[in-house]
Amino acid sequence: MTGCTNRASREIDRQMIEDRGLPGAVLMEGAALGILRLLQERPQPWLRQPILILAGRGNNGGDGLALARMLHNRGIELRILLQSEEGLSPEAALQLNCIRNMGLAAEVYEPGMSLGCPGIVIDALLGTGFKGRLNSPLKELVEEANKLTALRVAVDIPTGMNGDDGSGELLFDADHTIALGYPKWAHLTSPRLKKIWLVRLEFDP
C-alpha cells in the first residue's frame, strides 16, 4: 500500500477543491460520514456510550464537528470540547455554526477542566499539518485525554504526531486511528500506532 506525504495530501485536497470545483465542506461531509459508518460497523457497542469529541481549529476539527452533528442526529450522548473559537478554518467555522444552530453546546477547553467519564474519546484536534511539539493548552488536553480509561480514536493522525515520519514528543494515545483518503507515511511506518482503519474519500482517480 502506498502512503502520502503531508504535502501530497494537501495537494490532493487543493486539486479537488480548486481544480475540480468540489467544495471543501463536501469533502468534510464525506469524511465524517465515512467515520460514522466505520464506528457503526464495529462489533463492540461503541455508539452506546457517551462520546467526547475534541475539535481543533482546522479542517481536522471540522471533520470532528461534522461527525458530532451526525452522532447527535442519531441520539447519541456526546460532549464537544474546542481547542479555540478563534482562528477557525472556514469549513470548521461552518460546522461549528451549524451545530450551535441545532442547539448543541461546544465548550472551549481550559487547563484544569474535567473531561468527565466518556466511553469514547475522538481526537480531531490536529491533522497532517502538525510539526514540532504541543504547547499549552493542547499539551494539557492531550495529557488528560490519555489518562482516561475510555477507548481513544484519532481522526486521520493522532494529535502530536508528524504525518510524514511519525515523530512527536507527546501524542494522543490512540487505540484506533482512522486515516482519511489515503494512508499517510506515518500510518505505514510508525510503531507507535495501534489499529489503523482507512476511510476512502471521493477523490478523482
Side-chain angles (χ1 to χ4, degrees), residues 39 44 48 68 81 85 97 103 107 132 138 147 151-152:
L39 295 177
Q44 304 93 336
R48 299 178 190 171
L81 283 183
E85 290 185 272
N97 183 63
E107 312 163 71
L138 279 183
K147 293 176 185 177
L151 184 77
R152 289 184 290 272

Side-chain angles (χ1 to χ4, degrees), residues 6 13 45 72 77 101-102 134 155 164 169-170 196 200:
N6 290 346
D13 284 351
H72 171 72
E77 181 182 351
N101 286 340
M102 294 170 64
L134 296 175
V155 174
D164 278 341
E169 191 172 294
L170 170 67
I196 302 170
R200 295 198 179 275

